[in-house]
Amino acid sequence: VSDFFAGELPQFKNDGVAYVGLDSGWNKFSDAQLREFVGHCHANHQEAGIYFTPFAAFGRRNDDTNVADSQYQYKDIYLYANGKKQTLDGGTALDPTHSGTQRLIKLALDRFKLAGFKYVKADFLGHGALEADHFFDPKITTGIQAYNAGMKFVAETAGPEMYLNESIAPLFPAQYANSRRIS
C-alpha cells in the first residue's frame, strides 16, 4: 500500500504528508516488523499510522487471564451493567478508569512510539462511554465521566508528538484528539 501510494498516487497528501496506516490485525506483527513497516513508510516519504481500541477487548480470551503481567485479570477491568459484562459490536467494554486498562493503553502507545508511529486511529471509543454498575475510580459515576477520564489518559500518554484520530462515536467530548472520522 505504501509503495502504491508513493508511486501511483503521489498527490494524495495532507499538508504535504501522506499517512499510511495498519488497521486491525497489526498485533500479529513483532516489534521488529512494526519498525520495518514504519521505516518502509518513511523511505516513501510517508508517516506511519496504526489502529488502537483503548476501551474494548476483542477476540477470545479467558476472563481469568492476567492483564499484561499485572495483578489484574481481564474480568477485573471489564465494565458490568446489572452484573453482566458489557459487550457492543463484538467487543467487551473495558473500564477507562481502571489501572489495568490504563496499563494496556500505556503499553500499546509506548510500543507505537518506540516503533516510530506518529498517527493513531482510535476506534470503538463508545465502549468507554457505556454506563456501568460502578467504575474503578469511585469518583466516577457515569459513562461520560469515565470516557472523559479515559480519553484524558490516552491523550496525555500519546503526547503532542502523536496525531490522535477518534472514531465517529461518541461525538462528545471531542477535545482529546486532533481529528475525528465522520463516516
Side-chain angles (χ1 to χ4, degrees), residues 74-143:
Y74 274 88
K75 66 183 175 188
D76 299 326
I77 68 172
Y78 293 148
L79 283 180
Y80 294 88
N82 299 316
K84 295 182 181 164
K85 283 190 294 190
Q86 292 274 65
T87 58
L88 181 66
D89 298 324
T92 304
L94 304 179
D95 182 346
T97 73
H98 199 289
S99 55
T101 302
Q102 292 174 354
R103 178 170 170 75
L104 290 174
I105 291 167
K106 182 165 177 24
L107 287 171
L109 290 172
D110 287 351
R111 186 177 182 201
F112 300 159
K113 288 178 188 179
L114 190 60
F117 289 95
K118 298 290 184 194
Y119 178 98
V120 177
K121 174 185 167 186
D123 208 358
F124 293 95
L125 297 177
H127 287 68
L130 293 175
E131 299 300 333
D133 296 334
H134 71 277
F135 297 92
F136 182 76
D137 181 341
K139 295 183 297 269
I140 303 295
T141 60
T142 71

Side-chain angles (χ1 to χ4, degrees), residues 21-29 50-53 58 121 123-124:
L22 292 176
D23 209 83
S24 180
W26 66 263
N27 54 333
K28 294 179 180 139
F29 286 41
I50 197 158
Y51 183 81
F52 179 48
T53 59
F58 288 90
K121 174 185 167 186
D123 208 358
F124 293 95

Side-chain angles (χ1 to χ4, degrees), residues 51-72:
Y51 183 81
F52 179 48
T53 59
F55 309 135
F58 288 90
R60 292 184 165 186
R61 72 176 40 83
N62 183 322
D63 292 351
D64 295 325
T65 300
N66 279 16
V67 175
D69 298 320
S70 75
Q71 63 187 4
Y72 301 110

Side-chain angles (χ1 to χ4, degrees), residues 39 56 115 132 142 148 164:
T142 71
N148 265 304
L164 184 58

